[in-house]
Amino acid sequence: MTSQVPCYTIINSPDLEVPNEMQLKQDLEKGDTNVKIETLKRVIKLLLNGERYPGLIMTIIRFVLPVQNHTIKKLLLIFWEIVPKTSADGKLLQEMILVCDAYRKDLQHPNEFLRGSTLRFLCKLKEPELLEPLMPAIRACLDHRHSYVRRNAVLAIFTIYKNFDWLVPDGPELIASFLDTQQDMSCKRNAFLMLLHADQERALNYLASCIDQVHTFGDILQLVIVELIYKVCHANPAERSRFIRCIYNLLNSSSNAVRYESAGTLITLSLAPTAIKAAASCYIELVVKESDNNVKLIVLDRLVAMKEHEGMEKVMQDLVMDVLRVLAAPDIEVRRKTLALALDLVYSRNIGEMVLVLKKEVAKTHNVEHEDTGKYRQLLVRTLHTCSIKFPDVAANVIPVLVEFLSDTNELAAADVLVFIREAIQKFPALRALIIEHLIEAFPQIKSSKIHRAAVWILGEYVEGPQILEVIAVIQQTLGEVPMVEAEQRRLAGDQTEEQKQQQGSTGGSAPGSATEGSASGSGSGNASNKVTSDGTYATQSAYSLAPVAKAEKRPPLRQYLMDGDFFIGAALSATLTKLALRYAELQPEARAQNRLTTQVMLIMSSILHLGKSGFPTKPITNDDTDRIFVCLRTLSERTPEAVAVFTLFCREALGKMLDAQHDEDQRMLKEKQKATAKVQPDDPVLFAQLSNGRDNQLGENVFESSLNQALAGSKNAQQSDVASPNSKLNKVTQLTGFSDPVYAEAYVNVNQYDIVLDVLIVNQTNDTLQNCTLELATLGDLKLVERPHPVVLAPHDFCNIKANVKVSSTENGIIFGNIVYDTALNTNVVVLNTIHIDIMDYIIPASCTDTEFRQMWQDFEWENKVTVNTSFTDLHEYLKHLLKSTNMKCLTPEKALSGQCGFMAANMYAKSIFGENALANLSIEKPVDDPDSKVTGHIRIRAKSQGMALSLGDKISSSQKQSVQAA
């Protein structure tokens, strides 16, 4: 028979010196109440740490048990819970009869707290010999005046009936009659819970008798009623019509927990549109009203799961506007999930309303500076982008709103706007004039070099006709006076530049009163300004006596970028001006007008080159940018057909191809997603929980089973079901000792989300009884042992299962090691265990991100691990597949970019851990094309925020390579 040790209360005591048993006895016998309390606490901690004091039991019975102090009473409950109650041969200790008598007195004590806490303690007892004499006293507690005693009496009877039904054979009848007379909700809940598990028929009869009053019950009882209805309706579908109205009523409960459970139960019982709508509306209300972010995310996950069910998606499409109410939540993760859900549900009839809501949200973010405001703006931009591409009719309304973001200080949002504008201007020719008009208008207000660069490219590529001159004028305005070197020299000498003169002219024209002030400060010809002194008299100060103050000059934006040494924008500007000049030459037949514009453009380019080498900017122009500008100048002067075709045609073609490739990739991903949601056919086989791999729909027939599977699996990766399925446990078994060792041990390693449960099977292979057989474990890495496994006694050839929990705090490879210690009649023995390696792959999930995000993270992460490729693979694509499989990463490089054989391959890979850590990898491999048998060579660079993540992934790749080489 397997000996099973109950789960005990864990009290951690890191530094505890082992005292003398005689000293403990003396303190318990002769000490005052406070000394007894402290000594009892020490004894409890020592017992939990594996010490054994059999001689103390009688001392405690004689000198501590009779004390009426409440603290001592509480401590004694813990002591009797953990102390060994049986002798080495497995028989109950004689002293426990005295303890039993003491607890019978406590069950009849006038203090209701003592009675209730004693009843709670009895729920943990597993010895029927101790419980049998206490049964009359436990029954008597059912009629106690205080609800605390009554509800604990019900729980005691429930656990005793569950474990030893022969001690209380009439338990269900007793509790059913008790339930009819009770008014207190906690007593009713406990009684109903017992009937639910012990005698479902009686529970149903009680529910039928009071089904109309269910909405008046307390939330703890309502939760148990929901559980009963769920179980009954699944066991007997004919009962659905009888109880479904009750579930509808509970959707309006005052308790959020009851509403959540009721909504979940309703959609598993009925797929009628009214039921789906009621459940979804209930979920949305919960998300809106609940303040806890974790609750919001959990409920949103339920809504996402409902949306993925084909029959529910159509009903939920009408609730898009309700879903968008959740955007009022301040948390960025909640907003991200909400926008993704709304985007999946929106359709042509309500897209207009959704865009109006998103416009309002955009307006709200303008004057709010919060740490997540920038990210939220970026989310809104991306959502509006997707809406416009999916529903082109709304693009005209969205573009003016989004263009306002270009002048935003948040570069992320502005960059996303330009990505959208680039796609829209290519895909919707009818909107080009509108987009360019808004872009020209916003161009001078842009604050970032990167955004200006992209805007310049779009204008150069798509502007046509008379707008060409307008664009060049705007560029000149944002670039400032040309030639730039002469203007900077004048500025340095203190003379007025053309820009300052223009500013003064505009100032004088707009505000007559300020013209004198401008001329006084500019010319400085002895003009004086009046100042008022502290005593009220006027003091005159001459301009001659003022020392010149050097102040930072405000330059036009494009000029400022160049002065800061960013000449890449100069190269992009040159390419754009070249395109505009070439396009203008095609439209304008008059040679003089063509040449005038061309020389104007060439002057700007040569001025940028001159400035780059003048020494005025903080950094000189690079050779790449110099070459690029020279190519543009040469193209304009020579105008060879090939060069003109590159500038006027091929750039736009390249963009079209890139957008088509992106679209194809998105369609492929969508198809893969649709494949995953398989439809159920009439001839599909019946699924059995024990035989299935758990990949069934989350909203399938048995929600409790699937939620249990998910909890067991921990992470939502592709392999989650394999971990949870019973038939795959054998794959996770690790042998800890040899077959010839006196004690054989093997462990089933169950990796949950944030902890590891070791289920260790220990077999006594000797003919001796093993006393105090203890599993002692230690950990290496970011693992922490949560509890110490309790010692057991193993009979000859007996076996037992011991569970140990290990907490995981980050994604790193960890090691668990230890030994088994046991006592025989002669001596103490130790068996050293094999080490258990915890695999990082259990915590890594494939994930995806945009190229921009990947590059940004690659730049930010400081830890890099470079792994040399050492493999027997001869095919580049095969090696990539092997790498993705062994590292759980996702390849971000599209399939099209990797297709074909050219002798080398570069790919980006990305994964996330369940702790929110990011892992990036770049694969660069090659092999000679003319030698098909040569091995793949190259490097894999891994980057992560933490050193452990980068090293662990590198180790995983190295070990997988070794295995592939050995297999070959």
Side-chain angles (χ1 to χ4, degrees):
M1 175 184 153
T2 306
S3 56
Q4 197 167 4
V5 179
C7 179
Y8 294 141
T9 308
I10 301 300
I11 300 168
N12 188 28
S13 52
D15 303 317
L16 194 68
E17 57 183 63
V18 180
N20 188 348
E21 188 172 348
M22 290 304 296
Q23 182 62 44
L24 290 173
K25 279 188 178 181
Q26 197 171 349
D27 288 344
L28 290 170
E29 284 178 27
K30 298 177 180 175
D32 60 7
T33 305
N34 290 332
V35 172
K36 286 182 178 179
I37 288 170
E38 288 307 314
T39 310
L40 199 52
K41 283 181 181 176
R42 289 177 74 192
V43 170
I44 288 169
K45 288 177 181 176
L46 288 163
L47 283 173
L48 286 169
N49 281 337
E51 300 297 330
R52 288 288 167 267
Y53 295 108
L56 284 181
I57 293 180
M58 204 61 215
T59 308
I60 287 173
I61 290 171
R62 287 175 59 201
F63 298 102
V64 184
L65 202 56
V67 179
Q68 291 302 311
N69 180 283
H70 279 202
T71 307
I72 286 183
K73 291 279 185 193
K74 285 187 210 172
L75 289 170
L76 281 172
L77 292 176
I78 298 174
F79 175 77
W80 294 122
E81 181 190 337
I82 64 173
V83 76
K85 302 171 191 65
T86 54
S87 58
D89 55 0
K91 292 184 179 176
L92 193 72
L93 293 172
Q94 295 298 319
E95 294 93 328
M96 295 310 294
I97 304 301
L98 298 171
V99 178
C100 183
D101 187 57
Y103 281 119
R104 191 173 52 76
K105 288 175 185 169
D106 280 347
L107 287 173
Q108 294 162 349
H109 201 280
N111 184 309
E112 60 270 7
F113 172 75
L114 268 181
R115 279 201 187 198
S117 53
T118 307
L119 286 162
R120 286 173 73 88
F121 160 70
L122 294 178
C123 294
K124 299 173 184 175
L125 278 188
K126 295 285 186 285
E127 288 78 22
E129 302 96 322
L130 292 175
L131 290 168
E132 192 169 8
L134 301 175
M135 286 315 301
I138 295 171
R139 284 169 173 266
C141 287
L142 284 173
D143 302 322
H144 194 270
R145 59 183 174 76
H146 203 283
S147 61
Y148 179 70
V149 178
R150 294 200 304 275
R151 70 168 175 260
N152 282 311
V154 173
L155 277 182
I157 288 174
F158 177 26
T159 50
I160 292 167
Y161 181 79
K162 191 165 66 175
N163 295 326
F164 317 106
D165 55 352
W166 47 272
L167 286 177
V168 52
D170 60 338
E173 296 93 350
L174 184 68
I175 297 301
S177 56
F178 169 81
L179 186 59
D180 291 332
T181 59
Q182 281 308 301
Q183 296 304 316
D184 181 75
M185 277 303 154
S186 58
C187 295
K188 275 188 169 184
R189 181 255 180 196
N190 288 0
F192 192 78
L193 187 66
M194 173 172 171
L195 290 181
L196 166 65
H197 291 284
D199 193 341
Q200 213 173 77
E201 195 56 45
R202 286 181 195 276
L204 277 176
N205 292 338
Y206 174 75
L207 181 57
S209 68
C210 61
I211 200 159
D212 295 329
Q213 288 91 42
V214 166
H215 62 280
T216 63
F217 291 167
D219 56 346
I220 52 174
L221 181 55
Q222 287 177 342
L223 280 170
V224 184
I225 287 172
V226 170
E227 187 183 346
L228 173 72
I229 292 173
Y230 177 84
K231 285 189 169 181
V232 169
C233 293
H234 274 299
N236 186 5
E239 298 279 350
R240 288 185 187 189
S241 56
R242 183 178 168 196
F243 293 112
I244 208 158
R245 184 177 294 280
C246 179
I247 290 288
Y248 269 111
N249 291 339
L250 289 175
L251 285 177
N252 303 315
S253 168
S254 57
S255 163
N256 286 347
V258 175
R259 296 175 71 194
Y260 175 77
E261 290 296 338
S262 302
T265 302
L266 182 60
I267 53 177
T268 59
L269 298 185
S270 170
L271 287 177
T274 48
I276 295 165
K277 195 167 185 179
S281 302
C282 179
Y283 279 144
I284 292 166
E285 282 297 315
L286 283 174
V287 183
V288 172
K289 290 182 178 174
E290 184 57 52
S291 58
D292 188 344
N293 277 338
N294 293 329
V295 175
K296 287 179 186 283
L297 291 168
I298 289 165
V299 180
L300 277 169
D301 280 339
R302 294 296 301 154
L303 283 166
V304 170
M306 284 178 71
K307 180 262 303 175
E308 286 171 359
H309 193 285
E310 197 177 358
M312 299 184 189
E313 188 177 9
K314 289 177 183 172
V315 180
M316 288 180 70
Q317 284 177 341
D318 296 327
L319 297 171
V320 170
M321 301 315 293
D322 290 328
V323 169
L324 289 173
R325 287 164 55 203
V326 182
L327 290 176
D331 185 66
I332 190 70
E333 277 304 316
V334 174
R335 286 170 160 178
R336 184 179 280 117
K337 273 197 175 178
T338 305
L339 286 171
L341 177 63
L343 203 54
D344 286 341
L345 290 175
V346 75
Y347 63 116
S348 54
R349 202 179 301 167
N350 53 18
I351 181 67
E353 293 175 39
M354 179 170 163
V355 167
L356 286 174
V357 172
L358 294 178
K359 277 184 178 180
K360 284 180 186 172
E361 288 296 315
V362 167
K364 282 181 196 172
T365 64
H366 277 312
N367 301 319
V368 181
E369 281 312 319
H370 185 264
E371 58 178 335
D372 286 332
T373 307
K375 291 179 185 174
Y376 184 42
R377 283 182 198 162
Q378 193 181 10
L379 275 178
L380 289 169
V381 168
R382 287 186 180 177
T383 309
L384 285 166
H385 174 178
T386 314
C387 287
S388 304
I389 301 303
K390 272 174 85 174
F391 305 97
D393 298 345
V394 299
N397 294 332
V398 169
I399 286 161
V401 180
L402 290 187
V403 170
E404 289 176 22
F405 275 96
L406 290 177
S407 58
D408 198 89
T409 49
N410 176 24
E411 197 178 278
L412 295 172
D416 278 343
V417 170
L418 277 173
V419 168
F420 161 64
I421 287 175
R422 190 182 66 187
E423 190 169 351
I425 207 166
Q426 171 73 10
K427 288 191 173 179
F428 312 132
L431 295 173
R432 279 179 190 170
L434 173 75
I435 293 171
I436 286 166
E437 184 187 330
H438 282 287
L439 198 52
I440 293 171
E441 197 178 307
F443 192 81
Q445 278 80 43
I446 297 174
K447 297 182 178 69
S448 161
S449 158
K450 186 179 171 187
I451 307 306
H452 253 131
R453 203 168 66 229
V456 156
W457 188 90
I458 292 171
L459 287 172
E461 197 58 54
Y462 291 97
V463 169
E464 289 170 357
Q467 282 182 318
I468 291 175
L469 294 173
E470 193 181 340
V471 169
I472 290 177
V474 167
I475 288 173
Q476 279 186 319
Q477 181 194 337
T478 47
L479 192 60
E481 186 187 343
V482 180
M484 287 181 271
V485 174
E486 285 80 348
E488 288 300 323
Q489 281 172 340
R490 282 203 300 277
R491 191 189 295 270
L492 201 63
D495 298 338
Q496 276 191 318
T497 60
E498 290 294 325
E499 298 142 26
Q500 288 169 332
K501 285 176 184 172
Q502 284 174 8
Q503 283 169 7
Q504 277 186 16
S506 63
T507 311
S510 60
S514 62
T516 54
E517 200 178 309
S519 60
S521 62
S523 58
S525 56
N527 288 331
S529 60
N530 290 331
K531 302 280 179 186
V532 182
T533 58
S534 55
D535 60 352
T537 59
Y538 287 99
T540 305
Q541 187 180 29
S542 171
Y544 286 122
S545 62
L546 289 175
V549 179
K551 60 175 182 176
E553 294 288 351
K554 186 165 175 58
R555 298 183 178 89
L558 289 178
R559 171 87 61 87
Q560 188 61 52
Y561 303 145
L562 297 174
M563 291 301 291
D564 292 338
D566 181 5
F567 280 93
F568 188 25
I569 181 87
L573 195 62
S574 302
T576 294
L577 291 170
T578 306
K579 288 177 193 174
L580 292 172
L582 292 171
R583 206 163 284 133
Y584 185 76
E586 289 174 8
L587 295 169
Q588 178 61 263
E590 193 184 340
R592 183 179 291 182
Q594 286 181 23
N595 292 339
R596 190 184 299 119
L597 186 76
T598 305
T599 48
Q600 190 181 345
V601 163
M602 290 173 88
L603 175 63
I604 293 172
M605 293 186 213
S606 56
S607 177
I608 293 171
L609 273 174
H610 191 192
L611 180 70
K613 294 180 179 177
S614 67
F616 281 113
T618 53
K619 285 185 281 186
I621 189 167
T622 62
N623 291 339
D624 284 348
D625 295 332
T626 307
D627 291 349
R628 177 84 167 138
I629 296 172
F630 270 127
V631 166
C632 294
L633 285 166
R634 192 168 177 183
T635 303
L636 283 176
S637 60
E638 295 179 2
R639 302 205 184 179
T640 56
E642 294 84 359
V644 170
V646 168
F647 275 97
T648 53
L649 299 174
F650 294 166
C651 292
R652 197 178 300 189
E653 279 181 20
L655 174 66
K657 284 176 184 173
M658 189 192 82
L659 292 175
D660 289 343
Q662 272 183 359
H663 180 70
D664 293 345
E665 186 67 16
D666 292 343
Q667 290 299 316
R668 188 179 67 79
M669 297 279 285
L670 201 65
K671 278 180 186 173
E672 280 181 10
K673 207 173 178 184
Q674 287 170 346
K675 276 181 197 171
T677 56
K679 296 175 185 175
V680 179
Q681 300 298 334
D683 57 345
D684 277 356
V686 178
L687 292 171
F688 294 93
Q690 273 68 23
L691 304 176
S692 74
N693 61 3
R695 284 189 186 143
D696 318 322
N697 192 355
Q698 192 184 355
L699 293 164
E701 196 59 18
N702 198 335
V703 130
F704 286 161
E705 194 68 39
S706 60
S707 62
L708 179 67
N709 276 359
Q710 195 172 317
L712 285 168
S715 56
K716 291 184 178 179
N717 59 354
Q719 303 301 318
Q720 67 158 8
S721 44
D722 298 341
V723 182
S725 63
N727 54 11
S728 71
K729 281 193 174 186
L730 292 172
N731 301 331
K732 293 274 181 180
V733 171
T734 306
Q735 189 177 333
L736 300 179
T737 64
F739 292 118
S740 59
D741 281 318
V743 175
Y744 172 75
E746 64 182 27
Y748 166 57
V749 184
N750 190 7
V751 179
N752 298 332
Q753 191 154 1
Y754 296 110
D755 66 339
I756 298 162
V757 179
L758 297 178
D759 189 350
V760 184
L761 171 71
I762 296 178
V763 183
N764 177 7
Q765 301 197 106
T766 65
N767 295 322
D768 303 324
T769 300
L770 306 184
Q771 302 284 346
N772 294 335
C773 186
T774 310
L775 176 68
E776 295 184 344
L777 296 173
T779 57
L780 200 66
D782 273 349
L783 305 174
K784 182 184 173 189
L785 201 63
V786 178
E787 60 186 341
R788 180 192 174 105
H790 203 276
V792 291
V793 177
L794 281 179
H797 301 290
D798 194 4
F799 63 91
C800 70
N801 283 73
I802 296 178
K803 283 191 169 63
N805 286 329
V806 179
K807 190 167 180 275
V808 185
S809 52
S810 79
T811 317
E812 288 185 25
N813 287 332
I815 296 173
I816 302 172
F817 57 95
N819 49 45
I820 292 174
V821 182
Y822 61 90
D823 298 336
T824 58
L826 301 171
N827 55 3
T828 300
N829 299 283
V830 178
V831 178
V832 179
L833 303 178
N834 190 10
T835 54
I836 301 171
H837 292 268
I838 302 305
D839 195 352
I840 184 177
M841 290 305 104
D842 291 318
Y843 301 104
I844 285 187
I845 308 161
S848 58
C849 65
T850 63
D851 287 345
T852 315
E853 288 167 345
F854 185 91
R855 281 197 293 273
Q856 188 62 44
M857 285 191 283
W858 189 268
Q859 192 177 325
D860 294 344
F861 291 170
E862 54 194 20
W863 291 104
E864 181 176 304
N865 188 7
K866 191 173 182 181
V867 180
T868 306
V869 172
N870 174 24
T871 181
S872 56
F873 282 93
T874 56
D875 184 79
L876 300 176
H877 292 87
E878 288 299 321
Y879 180 75
L880 175 63
K881 281 179 191 171
H882 166 73
L883 192 66
L884 293 174
K885 189 178 177 184
S886 59
T887 57
N888 257 9
M889 298 186 98
K890 181 175 180 179
C891 183
L892 297 180
T893 311
E895 190 70 37
K896 270 192 174 179
L898 298 171
S899 57
Q901 293 287 350
C902 62
F904 63 89
M905 177 190 283
N908 289 337
M909 297 175 289
Y910 178 58
K912 261 186 129 170
S913 78
I914 58 173
F915 301 100
E917 299 162 306
N918 298 302
L920 313 174
N922 173 259
L923 171 73
S924 299
I925 50 177
E926 61 178 343
K927 63 163 282 187
V929 182
D930 52 354
D931 184 7
D933 297 327
S934 63
K935 305 274 194 301
V936 171
T937 58
H939 293 92
I940 302 150
R941 290 163 70 202
I942 302 154
R943 283 206 181 179
K945 203 167 191 178
S946 65
Q947 183 186 16
M949 183 85 159
L951 292 175
S952 300
L953 256 180
D955 291 346
K956 182 65 190 172
I957 292 170
S958 300
S959 63
S960 70
Q961 288 190 151
K962 278 179 193 169
Q963 286 168 4
S964 67
V965 170
Q966 285 167 2

